[in-house]
Amino acid sequence: MSPLLKIRSERDHMSAIERRIADFLLDNAHLLRDYSSQQLASALGISQSSVVKFSQKLGFKGYPDLKYSVGESLARGDGNDDNGAPAASESPHPHAALAESLWRAKAEAEEETRLINPPEKIDAIADAIRGAQKVFVIGLGMDGIQARAFAMKLSLLGILAVHHFDPVLMPAAVSTTAGDDVLLVFSEHGRQSSLCQVARLFHERHGKVVTVTRHTANPLRAHADLSLLVSAHDERAHIEPLLYQAALQQLLDLIFQLLCEDEGRLQQLSINLELMHPMLDT
């Protein structure tokens, strides 16, 4: 039986923490190669020993053994096996082919994006955010959705994140910039002159500019101290934005995960989430 099928079949008999690990592995099996046991534990807010015990309970020597087995299973294309799993349908639903094609395209975009953003660059951006007094975040249109979501995550970690959606009002905020402040500019194509002007003004105040764009030559990147680059290409106009968003989300999640390695930030996240729960239940 493949490891993913084993996890799926035993999930209902697992403890709450084990189910959290199981669900993460099932939903993110293709990304598992990028996670150490400590990173997986941090992403789920649990102890590293819980990850190790989960692996051993499934019959593996430890987490590396489980990760290797999952990778081999994916390489073989083991969605199901012959040990109690449903047989493949002779006429699979068209949705299955669409889902498989989209999944593979996203996985390729995420891998290409990871390769063009070396670890030292990711670490430098995480360090800049970690050491900033204020983190200004701006994005226009669809870029604003990702910008707002990331600013919210930073706030949950206790980082002073100031989200803006109007570049006309941004110069007033920039006037309060200190030397260790960071500006995160989200712009898929990096061509908006207003954002270039905001970045230039931020530089004049000696702040650090981090741009988030496609892996193309664009005016905005010329103003960046550090840049996050996304590689996501497809001839189909309705698919390419999906690949961009998926690859970008993976990058942002990685930076968020690095920030969570600070024990103080992780505690602040737990406190803020607890404060939010009563409001979500009303």
Side-chain angles (χ1 to χ4, degrees), residues 171-194:
V174 169
S175 66
T176 68
T177 302
D180 55 359
D181 287 347
V182 170
L183 171 66
L184 278 169
V185 189
F186 287 71
S187 176
E188 180 175 354
H189 300 288
R191 298 175 188 149
Q192 294 103 323
S193 59
S194 58

Side-chain angles (χ1 to χ4, degrees), residues 205-216:
R205 299 290 299 183
H206 306 292
K208 184 167 289 187
V209 176
V210 179
T211 60
V212 184
T213 70
R214 280 188 173 273
H215 187 218
T216 57

Side-chain angles (χ1 to χ4, degrees), residues 10-255:
E10 295 184 11
R11 183 190 178 282
D12 291 343
H13 305 290
M14 295 178 180
S15 67
I17 289 180
E18 289 170 345
R19 284 198 298 271
R20 287 172 62 189
I21 300 173
D23 290 342
F24 184 92
L25 296 184
L26 292 171
D27 292 340
N28 302 279
H30 60 294
L31 303 176
L32 199 58
R33 65 180 183 274
D34 298 325
Y35 284 84
S36 67
S37 58
Q38 182 58 60
Q39 290 171 327
L40 177 57
S42 298
L44 295 174
I46 60 177
S47 67
Q48 187 177 9
S49 63
S50 296
V51 176
V52 175
K53 290 176 182 176
F54 175 87
S55 304
Q56 293 172 339
K57 188 173 181 179
L58 289 172
F60 297 95
K61 294 178 181 178
Y63 174 74
D65 192 23
L66 169 60
K67 182 166 71 169
Y68 178 79
S69 181
V70 170
E72 276 199 324
S73 177
L74 290 175
R76 291 193 305 265
D78 292 346
N80 290 315
D81 64 12
D82 57 358
N83 202 349
S89 169
E90 293 181 0
S91 301
H93 197 283
H95 289 182
L98 283 175
E100 177 68 15
S101 173
L102 181 58
W103 176 82
R104 290 189 182 280
K106 285 183 176 180
E108 289 174 5
E110 289 165 2
E111 183 175 6
E112 290 174 9
T113 296
R114 178 166 50 84
L115 292 174
I116 62 175
N117 291 277
E120 53 270 21
K121 180 200 289 187
I122 300 296
D123 286 336
I125 293 173
D127 287 341
I129 294 173
R130 194 180 285 117
Q133 289 188 21
K134 298 186 295 293
V135 178
F136 296 90
V137 186
I138 188 169
L140 308 181
M142 291 296 292
D143 294 305
I145 297 174
Q146 295 277 13
R148 181 174 180 270
F150 192 62
M152 181 190 70
K153 286 185 176 180
L154 295 181
S155 296
L156 288 173
L157 291 175
I159 296 171
L160 179 55
V162 184
H163 173 244
H164 283 267
F165 56 88
D166 188 344
V168 175
L169 299 176
M170 193 70 189
V174 169
S175 66
T176 68
T177 302
D180 55 359
D181 287 347
V182 170
L183 171 66
L184 278 169
V185 189
F186 287 71
S187 176
E188 180 175 354
H189 300 288
R191 298 175 188 149
Q192 294 103 323
S193 59
S194 58
L195 294 182
C196 292
Q197 185 175 357
V198 168
R200 181 179 58 78
L201 291 173
F202 203 81
H203 262 148
E204 290 177 359
R205 299 290 299 183
H206 306 292
K208 184 167 289 187
V209 176
V210 179
T211 60
V212 184
T213 70
R214 280 188 173 273
H215 187 218
T216 57
N218 59 74
L220 185 59
R221 283 181 62 187
H223 297 280
D225 296 292
L226 295 164
S227 58
L228 280 176
L229 303 174
V230 179
S231 178
H233 308 285
D234 198 283
E235 294 179 354
R236 297 163 293 180
H238 64 295
I239 296 296
E240 191 168 55
L242 304 181
L243 306 186
Y244 177 84
Q245 292 158 18
L248 173 56
Q249 190 61 58
Q250 175 69 7
L251 267 184
L252 298 177
D253 287 347
L254 176 57
I255 292 174

